[in-house]
């Protein structure tokens, strides 16, 4: 294996024997939080949230993408063997605190894989050696963590931070070495209740739960840990069942893209508050700029992580968050423009904002002593601390964003990350819209943002336009001229003047991809035809008007193709021969709006189905294909939730509020 560690949280079955029960850890007073507004160490009945745990996307820090399990040296150049990984984590937390980022909301400080060790009695504790395979202190290895993590958690809480920790649902974590007998595997499988009690006793506020080493079904394991966390909290709270440990589940990311993943997107909602939905964002360590990295193994770049998560925005909502992985803002190799773009795109997703960088370098003393790095690091801190951008991510509506235009595919079908402009819109609770316009090209470009193209009724109306990076305000009645640097973005908040204007969600409709490495394809009016029942197909997203659709309040889906004014998505009334492939089917196409009663009204739900109203038929990529250009679109019996959803029947479409189940 290369020196860069790759976490692969796919479901893996290991041939390990059942592990006998060990000693039950006693539970005493604990420090935790309700995930909403209560401080640490609060178990009173008053702490019971009236809104979901994690009503807003969690924010914080995680070491994984920046440091993986690699030993870390002190910044002053002193001996690494005298510097524990626990101290490294504390120093990162101190950097966040001293820079003001904890106060900005980045509170949950999570130590990822390799912190732990399970002894021969079955007790999970801090590993004495970082990434070591024995319970004996090895002076040739970097020290790990204290045996008990209570003092470490207390330190984080003293900074106003929360304590996050990593484990896996299986027998072995994704990166730790097989222990030396008689010590036991480090994962939580068969030890869930004991480990949950330890986490509560130490004051853990959030558990990140991976998929490696699973011997039982992942749903069984995640359900068991979710229940055991509640049991442990209740015991520590003297019977008050306030559910106050946030649970971050990796299950959906372990299934690739397909029907099993969509089933998991349903069952995780009752178990936790956030969940990973795709591969790891690129690990630091090989000098590669992580902004644009095509899928390689179980890793891809910051843009690809955004692109993958975007099509799942329909699952977002208070207490339910798609985890797009980590912000690589700091010393990970991206340019300042790229860091600004990742922050904007992840905020438009309503993604958890979790920094993974060497936050020790954010300390004013470090910046002052390293003038060559100062401009970039100061810009990174400013990007992360931009209160107006954070407010978009933390908007209480909880909506993720959707792509109005852009995307696109390279010749090999991979997402186009180096050409074109992406326009992403996120609905906000106050009725305004946050809009990110991203220039993916390597040179600056001018762009005119059409308010009508976003879905605003712009005629005769004025709109307030707030630039969230420049912190300036302007007004517009029709369009907003923009100049975008290479890999940079404009992030705007747009709101109509009082009593003026309306909004109808508009933009691209894309089929769920069946491969992480491929681009989403757009619902496309075939060859821009205008004849009655002109077919629709799946085609690389081009930004063309024949791929622009408006979801009207009456359930019709209107084509916004230039030169047309009254064409709607229409199901044919019966079986015919397809104009695209010559096959027999009930095809979808376009026809004049109002011309085909019963065949032009569609419902859209959280599972992504576009169902023909009054029927059990869904818009369907013919033959199960979703990433093959030119695939015609038909009507077919809907796969049923939660276990039989079909990837070729799940669509990402514009919306005003997150769709219901």
């Amino acid at each position: 294996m290369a020196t860069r560690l790759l976490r692969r949280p796919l479901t893996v079955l290991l041939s390990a024997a059942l592990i006998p029960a060990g000693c039950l850890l006693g539970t005493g007073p604990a420090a935790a939080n309700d995930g909403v507004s209560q401080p640490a160490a609060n178990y009173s009945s008053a702490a019971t949230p009236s809104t979901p745990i994690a009503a807003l996307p969690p924010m914080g820090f995680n070491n994984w993408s920046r440091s993986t399990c690699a030993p870390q040296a002190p910044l002053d150049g002193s001996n690494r063997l005298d510097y524990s990984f626990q101290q490294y984590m504390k120093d990162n937390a101190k950097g966040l605190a001293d820079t003001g980022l904890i106060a900005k909301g980045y509170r949950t400080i999570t130590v990822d894989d390799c912190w732990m060790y399970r002894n021969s009695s079955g007790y999970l504790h801090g590993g004495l050696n970082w990434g070591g395979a024995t319970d004996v202190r090895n002076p040739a290895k970097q020290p790990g963590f204290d045996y008990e993590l209570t003092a470490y958690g207390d330190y984080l809480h003293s900074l106003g931070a929360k304590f996050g920790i990593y484990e896996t649902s299986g027998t072995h974590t994704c990166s730790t070495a097989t222990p030396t007998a008689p010590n036991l595997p480090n994962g939580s499988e068969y030890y869930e209740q004991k480990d949950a009690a330890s986490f509560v006793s130490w004051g853990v506020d959030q558990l990140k739960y991976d998929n490696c080493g699973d011997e039982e079904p992942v749903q069984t394991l995640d359900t068991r840990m979710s229940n055991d966390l509640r049991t442990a909290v209740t015991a520590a709270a003297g019977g008050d069942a306030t559910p106050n440990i946030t649970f971050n589940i990796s299950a959906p990311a372990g299934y690739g893209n397909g029907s099993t993943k969509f089933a998991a997107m349903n069952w995780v909602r009752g178990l936790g508050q956030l969940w990973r939905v795709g591969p790891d964002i690129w690990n630091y360590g090989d000098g590669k700029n992580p902004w644009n990295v095509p899928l390689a193994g179980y890793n891809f770049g910051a843009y690809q992580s955004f692109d993958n998560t975007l099509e799942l925005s329909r699952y977002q909502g208070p207490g339910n968050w798609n985890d797009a992985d980590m912000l690589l803002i700091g010393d990970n190799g991206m340019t300042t423009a790229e860091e600004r773009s990742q922050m904007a795109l992840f905020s438009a997703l309503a993604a958890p904002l979790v920094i993974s960088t060497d936050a020790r370098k954010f300390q004013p003393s470090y910046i002052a002593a390293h003038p060559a790095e100062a401009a970039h690091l100061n810009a990174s801190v400013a990007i992360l601390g931009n209160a107006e951008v954070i407010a978009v991510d933390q908007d209480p509506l909880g909506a993720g964003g959707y792509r109005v235009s852009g995307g696109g595919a390279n010749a090999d079908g991979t997402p186009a990350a180096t050409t074109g402009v992406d326009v992403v819109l996120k609905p906000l609770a106050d009725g305004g819209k946050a809009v990110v316009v991203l220039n993916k090209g390597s040179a600056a470009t001018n762009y005119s943002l059409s308010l009508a193209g976003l879905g605003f009724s712009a005629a005769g109306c004025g709109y307030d336009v707030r630039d969230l990076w420049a912190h300036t305000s302007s007004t517009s009645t029709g369009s907003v001229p923009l100049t975008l640097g290479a890999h940079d973005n404009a992030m705007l908040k747009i709101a109509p003047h009082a009593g003026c204007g309306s909004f109808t969600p508009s933009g691209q409709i894309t089929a769920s991809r069946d491969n992480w490495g491929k681009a989403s394809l757009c619902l496309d009016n075939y060859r821009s035809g205008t004849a009655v029942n002109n077919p629709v197909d799946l085609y690389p997203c081009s930004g063309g008007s024949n791929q622009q659709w408006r979801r009207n309040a009456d359930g019709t889906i209107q084509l916004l193709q230039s030169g047309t004014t009254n064409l709607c998505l229409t199901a044919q009334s019966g079986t015919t021969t397809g104009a695209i492939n010559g096959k027999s089917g009930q095809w979808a196409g376009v026809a004049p709006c109002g011309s085909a009663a019963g065949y032009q009204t569609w419902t859209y739900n959280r599972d992504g189905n576009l169902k023909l109203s009054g029927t059990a038929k869904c818009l369907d990529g013919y033959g199960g294909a979703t990433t093959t250009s030119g695939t015609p679109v038909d009507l077919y019996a809907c796969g049923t939730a939660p276990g039989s959803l079909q990837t070729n029947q799940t669509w990402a479409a514009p919306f005003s509020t997150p769709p219901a189940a």
Side-chain angles (χ1 to χ4, degrees), residues 48 62 95 99 102 120 132 154 176 235 272 301 342 432 461 536 551 611 618 642:
T48 303
N62 182 299
T99 313
I102 287 178
S120 58
D154 288 346
T176 52
Q342 191 193 16
C461 276
V536 292
R551 291 187 55 235
K611 182 183 290 188
C618 283

Side-chain angles (χ1 to χ4, degrees), residues 631-658:
T631 297
V633 178
D634 65 340
L635 275 291
Y636 203 78
C638 299
T640 56
S644 299
L645 296 171
Q646 297 176 207
T647 309
N648 61 313
Q649 293 181 350
T650 60
W651 304 83
F655 54 80
S656 290
T657 57

Side-chain angles (χ1 to χ4, degrees), residues 57-120:
M59 297 170 62
F61 172 91
N62 182 299
N63 66 285
W64 179 260
S65 288
R66 174 57 179 83
S67 62
T68 63
C69 284
Q72 298 297 305
L75 290 179
D76 63 9
S78 57
N79 188 354
R80 172 176 57 81
L81 298 180
D82 295 328
Y83 184 70
S84 70
F85 207 89
Q86 177 170 300
Q87 189 61 51
Y88 170 75
M89 291 297 299
K90 291 170 68 175
D91 288 348
N92 273 277
K94 188 69 162 57
L96 296 170
D98 290 352
T99 313
L101 291 174
I102 287 178
K104 290 281 189 177
Y106 298 93
R107 291 190 176 90
T108 302
I109 311 299
T110 299
V111 59
D112 214 281
D113 203 350
C114 298
W115 66 267
M116 77 291 280
Y117 203 77
R118 192 181 302 280
N119 66 23
S120 58

Side-chain angles (χ1 to χ4, degrees), residues 35-57:
V36 183
S37 61
Q38 298 296 330
N42 190 334
Y43 279 114
S44 72
S45 59
T48 303
S50 59
T51 54
I53 296 180
L56 302 176

Side-chain angles (χ1 to χ4, degrees), residues 479-507:
S479 62
V480 181
L482 301 169
T483 298
L484 307 169
H487 299 179
D488 212 341
N489 74 96
M491 189 172 191
L492 310 172
K493 182 178 178 182
I494 302 174
H497 291 166
C500 182
S502 61
F503 179 83
T504 307
S506 306

